[in-house]
Amino acid sequence: MSSAVELRAPGPRGIPPLFARLVDDAALFPPGSAQVAQAVDDHLAARAGEYSGVLGPMLCQASRLAELITELAKAKPSEPVPLSLVCDTGLGGVPKALSIIEGRQELLALRMVEMPAPSDVDDVWLERVSEFVPEDVIRVVEPRRSPEGWLEGIKRVAEHGCWPKLRTGGPTSESVPPVDVVADFLATVSTLSVPFKTTAGMQAAIRGADPETGFMQHGFLNILVATARCLSGGDVRDALSSDDGEALAAEANSLSDAAATAVRDVFASYGSCSLTGPVTDLEGLGLL
């Protein structure tokens, strides 16, 4: 199976290990919901840009895979685009999608397959995931968050070699998990043998109100620092709830390369509707 380290191979400018391959391209997903042609153009431009080392795979729904291939064929990328396939057509549709990707390896390099879990994350369903997805492809599963049994579902996902995914945003305020929920999640995943990733719910580096919805949103730098504190015995909830960008940046900047690598071995990546926003935030904080 591909590892988080392989996905974070340094970019051309030697991106700091805390941010290497941190941002998965989720331009096709809300709230951005870009057209496929535009998403392809933007992704290829970012991959050729000076901060390409921050960029992870491109996320695409299985239902839009044919359209993605059509646009990539028009664009003629110089090398295959790393892909994370998001299964929005059910687990049964995975074999057909994988067969299509297999036939277009000059355009796409499959790195991940992501899917929501059923309400009951049972062993039989997880075994089917392992059967359908090749061993050299990372399997990412999002258990449904609920008052009871959610963290046990996270552990069960990891026991089957899948990466758990945390939903960090959505159309309602309830879609954003509270600080205490994220802290409990980090306490659990920091003990597992696989990393986690998050959905495209964090639009900025620092926690704050979404300018469009007014909902409070987690910041990706908050999650990085909180993960570091979780590993070192620090105050995780304080890091998650902080809106002090300078203090969070200073703490992130103080991490050794070994500590940063340990953080990213837990928090692998997150989805963003653009690469420009995260890079602009990191530059503004003096971290790139």
Side-chain angles (χ1 to χ4, degrees):
M1 181 181 294
S2 299
S3 71
V5 172
E6 289 170 339
L7 289 175
R8 295 201 310 272
R13 286 195 58 186
I15 300 297
L18 192 62
F19 309 116
R21 307 299 181 200
L22 174 66
V23 185
D24 293 343
D25 184 353
L28 295 176
F29 293 79
S33 302
Q35 295 298 310
V36 175
Q38 187 63 56
V40 166
D41 287 347
D42 291 347
H43 183 87
L44 295 180
R47 195 159 289 282
E50 62 178 341
Y51 289 124
S52 62
V54 178
L55 185 63
M58 185 175 190
L59 277 63
C60 180
Q61 303 94 327
S63 61
R64 304 179 80 177
L65 179 60
E67 189 179 356
L68 175 65
I69 289 173
T70 297
E71 295 302 330
L72 283 173
K74 293 177 183 177
K76 296 181 173 61
S78 59
E79 58 185 26
V81 171
L83 173 71
S84 182
L85 179 71
V86 179
C87 301
D88 62 342
T89 57
L91 188 55
V94 171
K96 180 179 179 180
L98 297 187
S99 177
I100 292 171
I101 295 168
E102 181 73 18
R104 301 311 303 263
Q105 293 187 52
E106 78 281 7
L107 299 176
L108 291 168
L110 184 63
R111 296 287 184 261
M112 296 182 187
V113 173
E114 307 184 33
M115 64 203 78
S119 54
D120 181 16
V121 192
D122 60 38
D123 291 331
V124 173
W125 184 83
L126 287 167
E127 287 170 4
R128 289 187 67 206
V129 172
S130 299
E131 291 172 2
F132 285 176
V133 181
E135 289 187 1
D136 61 346
V137 176
I138 294 168
R139 306 182 298 275
V140 182
V141 174
E142 179 193 341
R144 297 184 184 180
R145 184 159 52 90
S146 61
E148 296 181 4
W150 176 56
L151 293 178
E152 289 305 313
I154 297 293
K155 294 176 184 177
R156 195 172 301 117
V157 164
E159 288 169 359
H160 283 262
C162 302
W163 293 11
K165 181 160 67 170
L166 174 67
R167 181 157 296 277
T168 52
T172 66
S173 59
E174 290 75 20
S175 304
V176 183
V179 164
D180 285 347
V181 169
V182 179
D184 290 343
F185 175 83
L186 290 178
T188 298
V189 294
S190 65
T191 67
L192 303 178
S193 59
V194 295
F196 77 94
K197 64 173 298 185
T198 79
T199 60
M202 296 184 290
Q203 303 307 311
I206 306 300
R207 177 180 174 83
D210 185 292
E212 294 186 8
T213 65
F215 303 151
M216 289 300 295
Q217 299 287 332
H218 295 288
F220 66 84
L221 189 60
N222 292 81
I223 302 287
L224 287 167
V225 172
T227 302
R229 291 191 188 183
C230 189
L231 295 174
S232 63
D235 190 334
V236 173
R237 286 169 173 77
D238 175 70
L240 291 171
S241 59
S242 175
D243 60 3
D244 188 338
E246 290 187 7
L248 289 168
E251 187 167 347
N253 206 33
S254 71
L255 296 174
S256 66
D257 284 355
T261 299
V263 168
R264 295 297 307 285
D265 283 341
V266 176
F267 177 22
S269 64
Y270 84 100
S272 175
C273 294
S274 78
L275 180 63
T276 304
V279 165
T280 299
D281 282 1
L282 291 174
E283 283 184 316
L285 292 166
L287 293 171
L288 284 182

